[in-house]
Amino acid sequence: MTDLTLRFLRRLWLALLLVPVLAHAGAYEATLPDDLATTPDLCARVPCADVLPGATRFSPRKGQPPYVEGYAGEGDAQRLVGYVMLSTDITDIPAYSGKPVVTLIGMDAAGRFAGVKVLKHSEPILLLGIPESALVAFNDQYTGKAVTDTIEVGPSRPDEGVLGVDAISGATVTVIAQNQVMMTSAQAVARQVGLIAPTVREPARYTTALPAGSAALSWATLVEQKAVQRLRVKPEQVGLERSDTPFIELWFGSLNSPVLGPALLGERSWRNLMAQIGPQDNALFIIRTAGAESFKGSGFVRGGIYDRVSVRQGSDTFSFRDTDALNLYGLEAAGAPAYDESAIFIIRSSSFSAAYPWKLNFLGNRVDRATGTRSFANFDTGYWLPEAYLDGGHPAIVEAEAAWQKVWKARAPAIAAFVALLLAVTAVYAFRERLTRLSTHKNKWPVNGFKYTFWVISVGLVGFGAMAQPSITQVLTWFHALLFSWQWSLFLSDPFIFLFWIFIITTTFVWGRGLFCGWMCPFGSLQEIIHKVAGAVGLKRWQFKLPQRWHDRLKWVKYAVFFGLLAVSAFSMTTAEMLAEVEPFKTTFLVGPLNRAWPYTLFLAVILGLSIFIERPFCKYLCPLGGALAMPSTFRWFGLRRKPDCNRCKACAVGCGAQAIDADGRIDHRECLHCLDCMVLYTDSTGCPPLARERKQRQRDGLPLTAINRAGYYIPIVPVQALPRADTLDTTAEQGDLKGRPDPRVPTDPVTPPYALPTADGSRPLLAWLAGELRDHLWPWDRARLTGRPVAWRAAGAALAVAATLAWALAATGRVSSGAVIAWWFGWSVYEALIRLAAKPHVKDGPWWGRRYRAANVMDMLSYVGFKNLLIGATLFLVLKAAGWLPQ
């Protein structure tokens, strides 16, 4: 590789980094005013005129949920033009990123959408994959449509009264969530202003008898029955230092029930309350039992609104004015907690019914600990009066389908076909030995017929059709979700990617990454097709492999890219997503090369151009996803077959396009792409040199040709003692039958750690072995092996062990961030890998529950330590998060 080429690649990489940074504009993670959620003058903070054309003056916020009226003209000529609403005032439906798209929506006086403007979103796909203008164009489809229409993403269905809006290809979940935001917000305001008839829910019918098994309704009993609920906000949730004292702790519950109400207030107080409210009114109590924050709000004035608490039921929000609040003088339930702030609130609306579920919402003031800026955040807890207090029990509730559920239903036939494809690939590969025995080095079609078919399907239907190209960004997202906040809805939102990852994870641990990377990866298949077609049309003479010494150096680049992205993601997922553009997947399948900036298109063209001459250059040298999957491939349960003679025969290595077979005939399953060419030779009596020699010898001697056994040789005519199995070769002395060369049937030489050796009587006690396994995984040091090492090694180990323990202890007390703990995880993992290479240089081979061990090289140890510590770290994180000991 010349200096000129290196300079060009450096400049291309720099351009790729600069383009996403320069594109980091628009509404992606835009900074919004701190008081946007609470300021009365909403339109002084956001461009209301952009979404309500013709309006020249806007009212303060009014109503609940809040909205703004827009007017045109002055004085007597003034007329109402329409209404403006902020989506997050009404609903917080999350999009694909797990965060809501903050949207400003305009609606004219007749109830038609007048304009839409996205103020802020957190959708990475709209930063690096799909231009933000696509979301603008999607929102523009609503202009002129009535908020009373049934609008869905997809084709119109006039016979069902459904108006369709076109989706954004590749961002289905985002637009389905945005459609729900648009319709929920607009209809909530339209219902308030009389454009839509208000929701009327059937009033609750209460029982008058105590629930079965309840002798008395103590506070503990009510908590157990969920007749009273708690809303607790921790200090770290609002950006404050962690403390045992909550930011605020509220208890609340319904009071209208003639059984529950007297149990809480006492018979006399409850009857007085019922006499003060109307027959359709509903009363609830709220008490503060901990925390210094007021749920009534410090800015409350007579005639004003209690802006800190509200009730939501369905799409309706109910707020409270001073006339809706009564004093709560005491709770009579035995064991009721002490409180220092209390109130009884009255909901005066036929839209509310205590028979249906509702939520108490608390508006808290959040402080950004990094910048000191303040904003408001909503916290809520659901409440549904136990059905034992309702005559007839709970009414039937039809819950609105989540966005991911709609996607799965809408694409059910395609999903079923995709599942069938994945099962077919798995089944074909599971029977690979039968196919390879039917093939020869001159006729590989029994294997290649399936393989080529899957390549074409992968590129055409999976890549360009379903846009289901797995990416390293999904690995990073899963890593962070596992540690911090797992949301099934986030991963279920793209059914093809979700199912593809089930396939990838399963097959990687069973056979290694090669089945996905070599047979089903859309971009890998595209490179392979280009290479094969180029060879078939006359360019084969110019096709070549890199010299093995350069291949062995460059193959590490993909691991460096993966670890680099993982490290960056610990501090900034946004930056990691930008840098993940080293994958040309979005340019190829999602957006198209003609719709991207020139550096992306040029980068793709260079890779595909190189694919004409070099087989799968991106897969072998750059792909961070391949690097991520290569690590667990170290511990695949089943590998490709080798025979002892492979340590001196180069036939398979010469034909290996992935260059995954070394000079000793060993297969590196981290690099192997499972083309199965070596397996074809394995039983080919004319293509495999050892088999060919034996065939010729038998023919010369007039001996019959028997079947070829699983070991890759003709079945002996006279039974002989078989060669030792690879997993039983514990010492080099036992490898004498291999002519003094390494055993190619295992990636490295077999070893047996001391705790796995048989006892004097030849037995292998299970409990002793399990104890040894546990110690081996958790304790990386070995005094005997490290005794001769420099003192600095042992000192560094002791210091890092103390530091890592201290990091976890500080995390448990909330004094360090999650990012800092991840940094310690990285540091400790690197150190442990170094120590183990010196003290315990072995890893498991094959299934984890087996007793096969082999010597570990550097990549083996990095893979083992990284994967093990990820599982341990994830477990500790989940425990700390569940206990509330980690700050947000």
Side-chain angles (χ1 to χ4, degrees):
M1 189 175 293
T2 66
D3 291 341
L4 180 63
T5 303
L6 289 173
R7 285 198 299 270
F8 169 76
L9 291 176
R10 280 197 296 266
R11 290 174 181 175
L12 177 61
W13 177 250
L14 179 62
L16 287 169
L17 294 183
L18 286 176
V19 168
V21 172
L22 294 174
H24 186 62
Y28 181 79
E29 293 289 12
T31 301
L32 299 178
D34 295 342
D35 61 348
L36 184 62
T38 58
T39 178
D41 194 358
L42 173 66
C43 295
R45 303 290 189 273
V46 293
C48 293
D50 289 358
V51 299
L52 193 61
T56 57
R57 187 177 68 81
F58 297 92
S59 72
R61 268 186 168 115
K62 55 174 58 179
Q64 192 61 250
Y67 63 92
V68 169
E69 294 177 340
Y71 297 91
E74 298 292 339
D76 295 338
Q78 178 177 277
R79 62 182 178 83
L80 177 68
V81 176
Y83 312 90
V84 177
M85 63 218 74
L86 184 66
S87 63
T88 48
D89 282 347
I90 302 168
T91 182
D92 56 358
I93 296 172
Y96 185 72
S97 64
K99 300 177 182 178
V101 175
V102 184
T103 309
L104 195 65
I105 304 167
M107 178 178 66
D108 66 21
R112 293 185 297 267
F113 288 103
V116 184
K117 185 178 182 65
V118 173
L119 302 179
K120 178 179 180 177
H121 71 82
S122 304
E123 305 298 281
I125 191 65
L126 299 179
L127 170 68
L128 296 174
I130 298 171
E132 195 172 280
S133 58
L135 182 59
V136 174
F138 171 80
N139 288 332
D140 287 345
Q141 297 178 88
Y142 289 84
T143 302
K145 291 182 171 65
V147 300
T148 54
D149 291 333
T150 302
I151 302 176
E152 293 183 0
V153 175
S156 296
R157 303 194 300 276
D159 55 325
E160 300 177 29
V162 174
L163 291 179
V165 289
D166 295 330
I168 300 175
S169 184
T172 307
V173 176
T174 299
V175 296
I176 287 179
Q178 183 67 355
N179 179 66
Q180 292 179 330
V181 166
M182 295 279 293
M183 300 308 297
T184 300
S185 300
Q187 289 177 359
V189 173
R191 192 171 288 112
Q192 278 194 79
V193 300
L195 295 174
I196 298 178
T199 304
V200 177
R201 295 181 175 88
E202 183 180 353
R205 300 192 308 273
Y206 301 103
T207 61
T208 57
L210 281 172
S214 299
L217 295 179
S218 65
W219 183 264
T221 301
L222 296 176
V223 171
E224 182 181 355
Q225 294 176 348
K226 298 183 179 180
V228 294
Q229 291 279 23
R230 182 176 67 169
L231 191 159
R232 182 183 176 94
V233 180
K234 302 174 184 177
E236 56 266 31
Q237 291 178 279
V238 291
L240 302 178
E241 292 291 338
R242 182 183 175 272
S243 170
D244 293 334
T245 302
F247 178 71
I248 192 169
E249 181 180 74
L250 305 176
W251 289 90
F252 62 97
S254 179
L255 291 174
N256 281 51
S257 164
V259 176
L260 179 59
L264 285 165
L265 301 181
E267 186 70 31
R268 181 176 179 181
S269 295
W270 179 76
R271 292 192 180 278
N272 288 338
L273 172 63
M274 292 296 102
Q276 295 179 61
I277 65 176
Q280 298 298 318
D281 294 346
N282 286 270
L284 63 120
F285 79 94
I286 304 176
I287 58 173
R288 182 185 65 188
T289 55
E293 186 70 10
S294 169
F295 71 79
K296 293 182 178 180
S298 58
F300 177 76
V301 296
R302 183 170 294 279
I305 294 177
Y306 290 94
D307 59 353
R308 292 299 180 90
V309 290
S310 60
V311 167
R312 292 184 180 180
Q313 190 169 61
S315 59
D316 297 308
T317 300
F318 306 94
S319 58
F320 308 107
R321 309 186 77 86
D322 60 341
T323 55
D324 301 322
L326 301 174
N327 290 327
L328 174 62
Y329 295 106
L331 291 173
E332 297 294 327
Y339 55 88
D340 51 13
E341 187 175 54
S342 63
I344 294 174
F345 289 110
I346 312 300
I347 301 176
R348 308 181 193 277
S349 172
S350 60
S351 297
F352 181 87
S353 171
Y356 292 79
W358 51 274
K359 292 181 179 180
L360 178 69
N361 184 75
F362 172 75
L363 185 66
N365 200 335
R366 189 200 303 268
V367 179
D368 188 320
R369 298 178 67 175
T371 64
T373 57
R374 292 180 174 270
S375 61
F376 281 90
N378 288 291
F379 305 92
D380 58 43
T381 296
Y383 182 93
W384 199 352
L385 187 67
E387 60 182 356
Y389 295 97
L390 294 168
D391 186 9
H394 288 151
I397 302 294
V398 179
E399 295 286 348
E401 284 187 324
W404 68 267
Q405 292 174 315
K406 291 186 176 182
V407 173
W408 282 73
K409 288 185 177 180
R411 309 189 73 177
I415 291 171
F418 186 62
V419 171
L421 171 65
L422 298 180
L423 291 175
V425 174
T426 305
V428 167
Y429 191 80
F431 290 98
R432 64 193 177 282
E433 292 191 25
R434 295 188 182 183
L435 296 176
T436 55
R437 283 176 178 270
L438 296 174
S439 305
T440 66
H441 69 289
K442 293 184 178 180
N443 178 24
K444 300 177 184 176
W445 277 103
V447 172
N448 289 348
F450 286 105
K451 189 167 60 178
Y452 293 171
T453 299
F454 292 141
W455 285 351
V456 172
I457 293 175
S458 175
V459 174
L461 299 182
V462 178
F464 288 109
M467 297 183 183
Q469 169 68 64
S471 167
I472 190 61
T473 56
Q474 292 146 12
V475 176
L476 301 180
T477 300
W478 286 24
F479 175 78
H480 280 256
L482 181 65
L483 295 182
F484 302 119
S485 178
W486 184 271
Q487 292 179 313
W488 276 109
S489 59
L490 176 62
F491 304 108
L492 289 167
S493 55
D494 191 326
F496 297 104
I497 292 294
F498 180 79
L499 293 170
F500 219 158
W501 272 106
I502 293 176
F503 169 83
I504 292 168
I505 293 171
T506 303
T507 58
T508 296
F509 281 115
V510 176
W511 295 302
R513 77 177 180 106
L515 181 55
F516 164 71
C517 293
W519 290 52
M520 283 301 293
C521 174
F523 191 76
S525 299
L526 178 61
Q527 293 176 85
E528 192 74 73
I529 289 173
I530 290 173
H531 187 77
K532 296 292 186 186
V533 171
V537 299
L539 298 179
K540 193 173 185 66
R541 70 184 71 177
W542 289 291
Q543 293 179 338
F544 64 95
K545 299 177 183 176
L546 289 183
Q548 192 66 35
R549 68 180 184 278
W550 280 105
H551 169 81
D552 289 340
R553 294 171 183 171
L554 292 176
K555 71 181 182 181
W556 298 104
V557 174
K558 61 179 176 287
Y559 299 103
V561 174
F562 165 64
F563 281 116
L565 291 173
L566 187 61
V568 171
S569 73
F571 303 96
S572 173
M573 271 298 292
T574 300
T575 303
E577 287 162 351
M578 292 178 180
L579 297 178
E581 278 296 312
V582 69
E583 293 179 328
F585 303 157
K586 297 187 186 80
T587 305
T588 307
F589 301 110
L590 203 57
V591 183
L594 300 180
N595 298 322
R596 302 218 68 183
W598 69 265
Y600 297 109
T601 304
L602 178 59
F603 183 51
L604 173 63
V606 169
I607 291 174
L608 296 183
L610 285 175
S611 300
I612 296 174
F613 308 104
I614 302 175
E615 188 173 345
R616 293 180 181 253
F618 181 77
C619 301
K620 291 194 286 189
Y621 306 121
L622 271 182
C623 182
L625 178 61
L629 296 178
M631 296 179 66
S633 296
T634 304
F635 313 106
R636 82 271 165 266
W637 295 347
F638 307 105
L640 300 179
R641 294 190 181 280
R642 300 271 81 197
K643 60 185 73 173
D645 281 306
C646 291
N647 62 18
R648 56 189 175 86
C649 173
K650 309 296 182 183
C652 292
V654 169
C656 180
Q659 296 177 256
I661 302 178
D662 66 13
D664 295 317
R666 287 170 160 168
I667 295 176
D668 183 350
H669 284 277
R670 286 185 291 266
E671 301 298 320
C672 177
L673 298 178
H674 292 200
C675 66
L676 297 184
D677 285 357
C678 62
M679 288 295 292
V680 170
L681 284 179
Y682 187 78
T683 54
D684 183 359
S685 62
T686 60
C688 176
L691 271 180
R693 286 195 299 271
E694 186 176 359
R695 175 179 57 80
K696 292 176 182 178
Q697 183 65 44
R698 287 196 179 196
Q699 289 174 338
R700 282 195 300 266
D701 296 342
L703 299 175
L705 297 178
T706 58
I708 298 171
N709 59 22
R710 289 172 62 85
Y713 297 101
Y714 287 103
I715 296 175
I717 297 174
V718 178
V720 297
Q721 183 176 2
L723 284 172
R725 285 171 45 196
D727 58 314
T728 64
L729 297 175
D730 293 333
T731 66
T732 55
E734 287 181 294
Q735 298 186 45
D737 290 328
L738 296 169
K739 302 177 178 62
R741 298 178 63 87
D743 186 354
R745 293 172 293 175
V746 286
T748 54
D749 292 338
V751 297
T752 303
Y755 67 85
L757 290 171
T759 59
D761 60 0
S763 63
R764 298 190 179 190
L766 178 61
L767 290 180
W769 175 73
L770 290 175
E773 285 275 293
L774 183 63
R775 178 182 173 83
D776 194 52
H777 289 310
L778 298 181
W779 189 256
W781 300 279
D782 186 306
R783 179 178 299 178
R785 285 180 174 266
L786 291 176
T787 298
R789 299 281 174 174
V791 176
W793 274 77
R794 286 174 281 171
L800 276 172
V802 172
T805 304
L806 180 61
W808 284 106
L810 291 174
T813 59
R815 296 182 182 179
V816 297
S817 67
S818 301
V821 177
I822 291 180
W824 276 111
W825 178 84
F826 272 108
W828 170 256
S829 296
V830 171
Y831 171 77
E832 183 182 351
L834 294 174
I835 282 293
R836 283 185 177 274
L837 283 170
K840 296 181 177 180
H842 60 264
V843 292
K844 276 285 188 71
D845 189 64
W848 303 336
W849 54 86
R851 298 194 184 191
R852 293 169 53 184
Y853 306 86
R854 59 183 178 83
N857 57 35
V858 173
M859 197 59 208
D860 290 333
M861 192 58 71
L862 287 176
S863 300
Y864 162 72
V865 170
F867 190 71
K868 171 181 70 72
N869 286 356
L870 174 62
L871 294 180
I872 294 174
T875 302
L876 288 173
F877 260 104
L878 293 174
V879 170
L880 293 177
K881 294 289 282 188
W885 290 346
L886 273 183
Q888 300 296 313

